[in-house]
Structure formats: C-alpha cells, structure tokens
Amino acid sequence: MTQLPETTTRKLGLVIDLDTCVGCHACVISCKGWNTENYGAPLSDQRPYGEEPMGTFLNRVHTYEVQPESGPAQTVHFPKSCLHCETAPCVTVCPTGASYKRVEDGIVLVNEDNCIGCGLCAWACPYGAREMDQEEKVMKKCTLCVDRIYNENLPEIDREPSCVRTCPAGARHFGDFSDPDSHVSRLVKDRGGMDLMPEQGTNPVNKYLPPRIKDTWGQENPLAPYLDTVHDTPTGFLGWIDSQLSRLPSGSKEGSE
Amino acid sequence: MHPAPSIIAFTTLSGLGFGLLAWLGIDSTPPTGMVGFVFFALAFLLAAGGLMASTLHLGHPERAWRAFSQWKTSWLSREGVCAVLAMGTMALYAAALVFTGTHIVWLGLLGAALSLATVFTTSMIYTQLKTVPRWNSRLTPLLFLVLAISGGALLSGRVSMASGLLFAAGIIQIVWWRKTDSAFSERNHTLGTATGLGDRGDVRSMAHPHSSPNYLMKEMVYVVGRKHAQNLRVISLVLMSVLPVIFLAMPYPHVFGFLAVLSHLIGVAVSRWLFFAQAEHVVGLYYGMR
C-alpha cells in the first residue's frame, strides 16, 4: 500500500562522505552491474555506442565547484541515489500500490509487476532518484541492494550494497540509523551529517558528510626557493655575452644592467 | 516539465467533457431524445477520449486497472475512481433522458458533482507536487475548474453564462501566470540547499554524471520553446477567452458557436502546453539548469 508506515523497525540507509569521494564513478558501474543481473528488470541502455547514449542508472555522480568568498574554489564529487526518505513523496503518489516503504527496514521499493509506468513518482521525487527504464517501461530505483544485504548465499563481507562494497575510497557507508551507536549514526553525529533539500520536508534517511575545511599553507609556497632558478642578471661568460650583445644597436639595454 | 502531447490532450479534452457533463447534470430542462443523445455523446467522447489519451503515456497501459486501488493517498488513483463514478452516474442519467425522457434530478446533480470532482482531482495531481513550485499553488485547481466549467458552458450553448465564465477564466489564467512566475524563487530552492554546500560559497555544476541527457533531464528539465512563452501566453489568452466571447456576440450562432468552441479548445491546449513547458522541477538544480 502507498500509505507510509508511521515508523519503521530499522532505518537502513547510506552515509556518503563528500570529503572522501574522489569521483571515480566505480559505485555507478557496480550498481549498474549488480542491478542489471539481479532484482527486477535489467537496467537498459539506449544507443550505448551511438549518438547521445542514454541509460537507466540508480546512482549517478555529479561534480560541483564551490567558490567561497575568498580563497580557491573546491571541487566536490557528489554521488546521488535514492535517499529512502521517511516521508517519501514518491510512495504516496503511486496510484497502483507498486511503490512502498518497508516497515521492517524502511527501504523504499517498487513492485515492478504492478507498476503502470505513469512516471508520477519520478515527478514527486526532488532528488531525481527514480528513473523510468526506457526498455521495460517500469520505474527503477535504488533497492539498497535488498537482494545482497539479506542474502545468505553471499559471504558476509558482501552483504552490503554494491556501491558501498565497491567504493575504493571508503566514501560510502551502510548501516542502521535507528541505532544511535551504529557506525553510520556515529559518523553523522561526528561529522555533521546533513540532509539534501531539507525544505522539501522529505526527511531523507541517507545523510551526506560535508567536505572538511582544507589545510592552508599560508602565503609562502614551501617549494618556491627551489623553483627560483632563472637568473635575471647573468654572471661570468654569459654575463659578458649579454653585455656585448646589448651594445649592438638593436640590443636590449636592460639585460646589461 | 516535458509537455507530453498525450497528457495535454487528456487534460484539455476531458476537462471540457466533464465540464459539459456537469452543465448537463444541473440543467433544469436537459435535452432529451436525439438532441440529448448528441450532447451526451459529445461529452462522453471528450471525457473518455481524454482518459484514453492519458493511458497512451503509460509504460504499461494493460495494468491501468490497478490505478483504482490507492485512492487513500494518491490523487491519480482518486482521479481514476472519480472519472469512472462520474461517467457511470452520468451514463444512467443520460440513458433515462435519451431513451425514456425521464429527468432524474438527483442523479444529474450527483453526476455533475462527480464530474467537477474529477476535474479537481486531475488538477490535484499537479498541485500536490512540491517538487514543481509553479504547480504547487492553490490557484491551480481553480484554473482547471474554471476552464472546465466555462468550456462546458460554451459547449452546452449557454451564451451569456459562457461569456461571463470565459472572461473570468481569462482573468484567473492571467493571475495564475503572474503568481506562479515567482513561485520557484520564493521557495528558496537553490543548488546550495540541494547539495547542502550552500553555506560554503557559490555552488556551480561542473560536470554532469553522464555526457548526454538522461531520462531525468528529458522528463523534468524541458527548456525547448520557453523563449516564445510570452507570445504563446498572449495567443493562448486570445484564443481561449477573447475570441470566443467575441464570437458569442455574433449572429449565426451555429457557425460562430462552433468557431468559439474551436478557438477555446486550441487556446486551452496552448495554455496547457505552457503549463508543462514552463514548469520547473527542483531536480534541475542538480544539473545546474531549471
């Protein structure tokens, strides 16, 4: 049913560390791979080798530049997938009941067999987390790898979302936010985890850790003395040539000074 | 937002159809026999034709029946339920009028209320979306309703009533445009709040996730043709309200009445095109676009 549960037993979700993400898109690829081969309809591509290639992705990495009032700009790589919101607007708009939020762990899922492909849930999501698969004509979204995290056929180390398992920088963390002592809850507390577009009132479960303030080296570049190898006033043999050449009518007078 | 032709056709035609049904329902001397048949057939063709058109944009129209189930939370589901109830009620009312000449007053009133409720639920599908600030306005249901009611009055041949309502529709359309033009900026949605990085400085999109536009950009970040928006607004207003009012004041009511309906229909369709094409979804912020 598309009525949201008042509370969920657990609140599973992700913490994404914007300080650590290097923008390699490995999470995008592993997500596409796992979710094409497993739960639900495969994630199709359109014209993958042609003009304007397009495809369904459940996770996309943006890159932003933040220019402070003074000082250098900072580049921030920004992975974005479903935030499994507590008051998920995508669920309540669904006319068929295909979209639902699970009571046991708070994961927002789509029952693809009931999806009519009207696209209203994608309109209702402020984050662009839902994409209509152009081949299967059903709505696709992040499942938090529901087919990995409870999968007893996988080694225990692999029972986490594919994007988290893959991230080479350790910028993605998976856990239960309803437990104040969990790894993810502590990260949010220690690092000032934040909501995206809080003014939309969606209460996202996933949190983002802001980039740390960068170290400063002060005014003086420590390598500067070593870089300063060009002589303005040559000495010795070069100095003699310089002075002789400068005597010629077209020669530069400045070099001999 | 992407102005899908099927949705524009649906909201325009079914709005007009349910508007006509509403007027037929409250009519104290409704048409009977053959004349009644023509009126009701026209209304049902418009209403049902619009609904059929709306299923064209579904990925799986064969599962559309499932959409009647979630009326507790979903305005789209409520619309489906209302539409079926309205058409069912009005079908009985029409059958009694056309075939037996009996006027069942309460059935007509109920059908009229359900017809307007259908238009209202249609408008709420858009109005409810906080993600599209322009639509998320109390004026949106008013705009849909006044267009349906004035179009219905026009179609049912109520000349003086239609003139007044068309004028009112024009005014409400202008007010809706004026109010909603600033809706996005009034909500203070920026790339800064979208990324949570706004308090550190100016945030700028440097690279999109992929090299070419994706579903989200095609569906939600539609910018084609916006530069003609002001001209299209004038064209829409003239066709929707001004010309029909002038036509209604002319002699030869059948010729000019037909022209008035045609002009109104095209005007509403243009207005509906702008309704989508000018609507900006907050997800555009993530792409540095609106």
Side-chain angles (χ1 to χ4, degrees), chain A residues 2 53 60-65 67 92-93 97 112 114-117 123-125 128 136-137 197 199-200 211, chain B residues 59-60 63 66-67 70 73-74 130-131 189 193 200-202 204 206-207 209-210 212 214 216 218-219 281 286:
Chain A
T2 51
R60 293 182 184 267
V61 179
H62 294 254
T63 300
Y64 298 113
E65 184 187 69
Q67 175 63 61
T92 49
V93 299
E112 292 170 10
N114 286 359
C115 175
I116 56 173
W123 287 9
C125 172
E136 297 286 336
K137 309 283 186 195
M197 247 191 268
E199 70 274 18
Q200 281 277 328
Chain B
H60 284 275
R63 300 175 187 161
R66 291 185 185 277
Q70 302 301 311
T73 66
S74 168
K130 272 196 221 166
T131 49
H189 299 308
T193 67
R200 300 164 165 257
D202 281 337
R204 180 175 81 83
M206 227 166 93
H210 292 84
S212 47
N214 59 37
L216 298 167
K218 287 173 191 274
E219 183 75 7
H281 194 288
Y286 286 106

Side-chain angles (χ1 to χ4, degrees), chain A residues 90-113:
Chain A
C90 55
V91 171
T92 49
V93 299
C94 175
T96 68
S99 279
Y100 59 106
K101 185 169 174 71
R102 294 177 15 139
V103 182
E104 60 268 41
D105 51 20
I107 299 179
V108 176
L109 285 179
V110 177
N111 176 353
E112 292 170 10
D113 292 337

Side-chain angles (χ1 to χ4, degrees), chain A residues 33-50:
Chain A
W34 178 267
N35 287 293
T36 289
E37 292 155 11
N38 294 282
Y39 178 98
L43 303 174
S44 70
D45 285 319
Q46 286 72 44
R47 308 169 299 279
Y49 304 102

Side-chain angles (χ1 to χ4, degrees), chain B residues 36 42 60-61 71 91 124 128 135 137 160 163 177 215 253 271:
Chain B
L42 179 64
H60 284 275
W71 49 270
M124 283 308 292
Q128 68 176 337
W135 294 349
S137 155
S160 56
S163 299
W177 280 328
Y215 163 74
S271 154

